[in-house]
Amino acid sequence: MIDAQGLIALGKAAKVASRQLGKLSSQQKNTALVSMAKHLRASQTDILAANQADIDHTREAGKRPESFIERMTLTESRIDDMAAGFEKVANLPDIIGQTDEMWFTEDGIEIGKKRVPLGVIGIIFESRPNVTADATALTFKAGNAVILRGGSETIQSNLAIIKAIKAGLAEADVTTDAVNLIDNPDRALATQFMQMNQYLDVLIPRGGAALIENVVKNATVPTIETGVGNDHLYVHEAADLDKALAILKNGKLQRVSVCNAVENLLVDEKIAEAFLPQIVETFKADNVIIHGDQRTRDILQGKIDILPVSEEDYATEFLAYEIAIKVTANYEEAVEHIQTYSSAHTEVIVTQDYSVARQFVDDIDAAAVVVNASSRFTDGDKFGFGGEIGISTQKLHARGPMGIEALTTYKYVIYGDGQIRK
């Protein structure tokens, strides 16, 4: 396992590697990405065995719910998706080296704005081992080195994935220091990692509120916050109720353990008695725990069990078969509720009123505002980015699903012919 000195060595190696990666041609990067995909598929048996060992150990410890186990579980299909992600990224345009703008000044100086890699990216994440692959593909395409620190529960899975990725890099004759994994879950080491300003250019935490809060509190490296998704679905009085029900089912139930799942349902009082009974059959089938306000409990009394809702419930990212419901008096109350409890991730309205939809888009301050579609579309792959490094809920540098462009910066290139400033 890596210790404090080993972490410094890892940082130094990544820094050196980043200088090499920034000079790779598009063809070299794409060849390496395809090679990494090939080795992931070839290593499927080993990766699944490592993942099963992690799952068994986590279940034996008895401290994690099944929703957590679901997040850490790999399958043949998920490994193939990881490999396909590398291939998708290989097919994306390479923006490194492109000139975004160019202009002449009054002094005859020509100035260009050139897209360049960030350098070395540190990523701290929790239970999803697929992040190891997704992060590598995107950071590599953008010409960066990456150092990954996953959760203690998935160390064996991450090591197996990294082994396959490094084999792909080696086959493509690219430095294997392009991707590095901290295999020691020691918290003191994590804090040291967050403060390695001499080696890391940016730090990206992916996980729950506690992880992100810890990184923001302790990191001295510039940080991009991602992830916490206390997402709302507002069913407006002018909603198509069939669409609303389908969007609710997909947003809440397709995969409950992800940050773009619906956690709060707001229903306009004018259609609440028509809409809310429609959710009963579906929510009963999946044993969804409902926290409802008094109006919700009155409407659904005797149809399904409902717990009284609390302020804490409204502010909670459940990541489980659990939801908070509120009947709102009007549009203004719904917007006020969202602005009070939103984590600025994804907010959805269902309405057939075009003017209300436009107003909602203007009123809501979030990374993604969705009209008449599922919150589950807030995703780098669905946006056409080939994947995502995370979903930023802050406003500086990057916001929303972060693809290759978010993993780059720029420098100004200035061309003259002997001019001096007067």
Side-chain angles (χ1 to χ4, degrees):
M1 280 191 179
I2 290 173
D3 58 11
Q5 290 302 312
L7 183 58
I8 292 173
L10 206 66
K12 289 180 178 178
K15 200 70 174 177
V16 172
S18 71
R19 299 187 190 112
Q20 300 173 25
L21 298 174
K23 298 177 182 179
L24 292 179
S25 69
S26 296
Q27 183 177 357
Q28 286 174 306
K29 287 190 281 189
N30 293 341
T31 298
L33 286 162
V34 172
S35 178
M36 286 184 266
K38 182 184 78 172
H39 281 272
L40 274 171
R41 290 193 176 98
S43 303
Q44 184 183 96
T45 300
D46 291 340
I47 294 171
L48 288 175
N51 184 241
Q52 190 59 54
D54 283 335
I55 291 170
D56 291 344
H57 185 266
T58 303
R59 280 208 169 106
E60 287 169 9
K63 297 180 181 179
R64 297 292 189 177
E66 281 303 308
S67 58
F68 184 95
I69 300 294
E70 192 277 334
R71 290 197 293 276
M72 66 183 288
T73 298
L74 292 174
T75 62
E76 291 183 6
S77 175
R78 287 182 180 179
I79 293 173
D80 189 66
D81 286 345
M82 286 159 50
F86 277 86
E87 293 161 345
K88 284 182 182 179
V89 171
N91 288 323
L92 293 174
D94 187 358
I95 64 174
I96 296 301
Q98 79 176 21
T99 300
D100 294 344
E101 303 175 65
M102 186 163 277
W103 65 96
F104 283 94
T105 71
E106 62 183 11
D107 300 305
I109 294 287
E110 186 178 21
I111 301 176
K113 192 176 180 182
K114 185 177 181 180
R115 187 63 51 180
V116 296
L118 285 170
V120 181
I121 298 174
I123 300 177
I124 298 180
F125 60 103
E126 291 178 315
S127 57
R128 300 181 192 281
N130 63 290
V131 173
T132 303
D134 296 344
T136 298
L138 290 167
T139 53
F140 181 81
K141 180 78 174 195
N144 302 289
V146 63
I147 301 176
L148 299 149
R149 199 267 187 187
S152 59
E153 293 87 354
T154 53
I155 283 179
Q156 297 307 314
S157 304
N158 292 330
L159 284 169
I161 293 168
I162 288 291
K163 182 178 179 181
I165 287 171
K166 284 181 176 286
L169 287 167
E171 184 179 78
D173 198 26
V174 173
T175 174
T176 57
D177 289 328
V179 55
N180 308 274
L181 179 72
I182 300 172
D183 62 356
N184 188 339
D186 182 70
R187 294 196 174 188
L189 206 66
T191 301
Q192 180 187 346
F193 180 49
M194 298 177 206
Q195 299 172 358
M196 287 174 54
N197 295 62
Q198 67 271 47
Y199 304 119
L200 293 181
D201 293 286
V202 68
L203 188 64
I204 303 173
R206 284 192 59 170
L211 169 68
I212 294 170
E213 182 181 349
N214 180 46
V215 173
V216 171
K217 179 180 178 180
N218 291 295
T220 56
V221 175
T223 301
I224 302 175
E225 295 181 43
T226 70
V228 176
N230 188 27
D231 306 332
H232 296 75
L233 169 60
Y234 171 43
V235 183
H236 179 251
E237 64 175 281
D240 179 316
L241 299 191
D242 290 337
K243 289 180 182 177
L245 185 60
I247 289 168
L248 173 62
K249 288 179 180 179
N250 186 255
K252 179 67 243 181
L253 301 174
Q254 188 203 36
R255 196 172 180 194
V256 298
S257 61
V258 291
C259 62
N260 58 14
V262 169
E263 305 290 21
N264 273 259
L265 172 64
L266 306 178
V267 183
D268 194 288
E269 67 176 6
K270 293 182 178 65
I271 49 91
E273 292 189 11
F275 180 71
L276 284 175
Q278 295 185 37
I279 74 174
V280 170
E281 183 179 343
T282 296
F283 279 16
K284 273 187 174 181
D286 283 296
N287 296 313
V288 176
I289 298 170
I290 301 174
H291 305 263
D293 67 345
Q294 188 60 54
R295 285 295 306 278
T296 300
R297 299 201 304 276
D298 289 343
I299 292 170
L300 296 181
Q301 187 175 14
K303 297 180 175 68
I304 191 170
D305 292 335
I306 302 179
L307 300 172
V309 73
S310 67
E311 293 292 310
E312 183 180 356
D313 295 329
Y314 285 139
T316 297
E317 182 189 31
F318 293 111
L319 299 176
Y321 288 94
E322 200 162 356
I323 193 168
I325 302 179
K326 179 181 178 67
V327 175
T328 59
N330 48 42
Y331 170 87
E332 288 74 21
E333 184 180 356
V335 168
E336 178 64 26
H337 182 95
I338 292 171
Q339 290 174 333
T340 300
Y341 297 103
S342 173
S343 61
H345 189 293
T346 300
E347 306 299 352
V348 183
I349 187 172
V350 181
T351 183
Q352 296 300 105
D353 188 322
Y354 177 75
S355 63
V356 170
R358 290 292 299 268
Q359 188 65 46
F360 188 80
V361 169
D362 290 342
D363 286 341
I364 297 301
D365 182 16
V369 183
V370 184
V371 177
N372 293 331
S374 172
S375 61
R376 295 281 287 117
F377 285 106
T378 306
D379 175 87
D381 187 47
K382 291 298 182 183
F383 275 30
F385 297 164
E388 68 188 26
I389 204 73
I391 298 176
S392 171
T393 52
Q394 66 182 45
K395 298 181 181 181
L396 292 180
H397 176 67
R399 199 179 195 195
M402 295 189 295
I404 292 170
E405 185 176 354
L407 301 175
T408 67
T409 184
Y410 54 83
K411 63 182 176 184
Y412 290 103
V413 180
I414 303 167
Y415 294 97
D417 189 26
Q419 291 96 329
I420 59 173
R421 182 170 177 173
K422 297 177 182 179

